[in-house]
């Protein structure tokens, strides 16, 4: 989570609880669920990660948007298999929720990359110079994604400890 290994544990309670509850607590992600939880634990964790991703992405969009003087039409946080981000011809931006598992400078780079596409819709030298000027860690972020992008997964079989 945010570039660091974070343990995930599940706490099962005996009393009824409507939805599963996911929190970051003392450096660990804790999922609390009742005996009749309707949502699988894995889905609850993914929903929580997606929400965290959206919050971080939106903050970066505000910061970068002020600098490029552009605003996206719509923003999507999705589970693409082959892309980290995309800018459509309609000025819609989409981002992969798994970016919340990368260090923040990587997420900021992807947001910056897509926001610059709102102004410069190609990968020209002008585009790359603009990205670099707004995101000095761009090269480092790209290198991190090449080396670690395949690790941005959630494997609940390994992550969850036995219920407490």
């Amino acid at each position: 989570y945010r570039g660091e290994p974070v343990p995930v544990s599940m706490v099962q309670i005996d009393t009824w609880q409507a939805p599963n509850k996911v929190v970051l607590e003392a450096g660990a992600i804790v999922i609390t669920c009742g005996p009749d939880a309707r949502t699988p634990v894995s889905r609850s964790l993914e929903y929580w990660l997606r929400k965290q991703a959206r919050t971080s992405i939106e903050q970066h969009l505000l910061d970068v948007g002020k600098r490029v003087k552009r605003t996206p039409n719509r923003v999507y946080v999705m589970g693409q298999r082959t892309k980290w981000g995309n800018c459509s011809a309609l000025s819609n931006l989409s981002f992969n929720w798994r970016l919340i598992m990368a260090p923040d400078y990587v997420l900021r780079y992807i947001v910056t990359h897509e926001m610059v596409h709102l102004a410069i819709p190609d990968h020209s030298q002008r585009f790359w110079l603009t990205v670099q000027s707004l995101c000095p860690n761009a090269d480092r972020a790209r290198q991190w994604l090449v080396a670690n992008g395949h690790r941005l997964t959630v494997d609940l079989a390994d992550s969850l400890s036995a219920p407490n």
Side-chain angles (χ1 to χ4, degrees), residues 58-88:
E58 287 175 352
Q59 184 58 57
H60 287 304
L61 286 170
L62 287 173
D63 294 344
V64 177
K66 289 175 190 171
R67 298 179 72 190
V68 297
K69 297 179 176 63
R70 295 284 195 275
T71 305
N73 182 33
R74 301 222 32 208
V75 176
Y76 301 95
V77 177
M78 303 169 19
Q80 309 94 312
R81 291 282 173 212
T82 59
K83 288 186 174 187
W84 297 116
N86 187 59
C87 177
S88 77

Side-chain angles (χ1 to χ4, degrees), residues 87 113-131:
C87 177
H113 182 113
E114 300 310 333
M115 284 293 287
V116 171
H117 275 313
L118 294 175
I120 307 168
D122 55 37
H123 285 118
S124 63
Q125 182 177 9
R126 182 172 155 242
F127 169 85
W128 289 112
L129 288 171
T130 303
V131 169

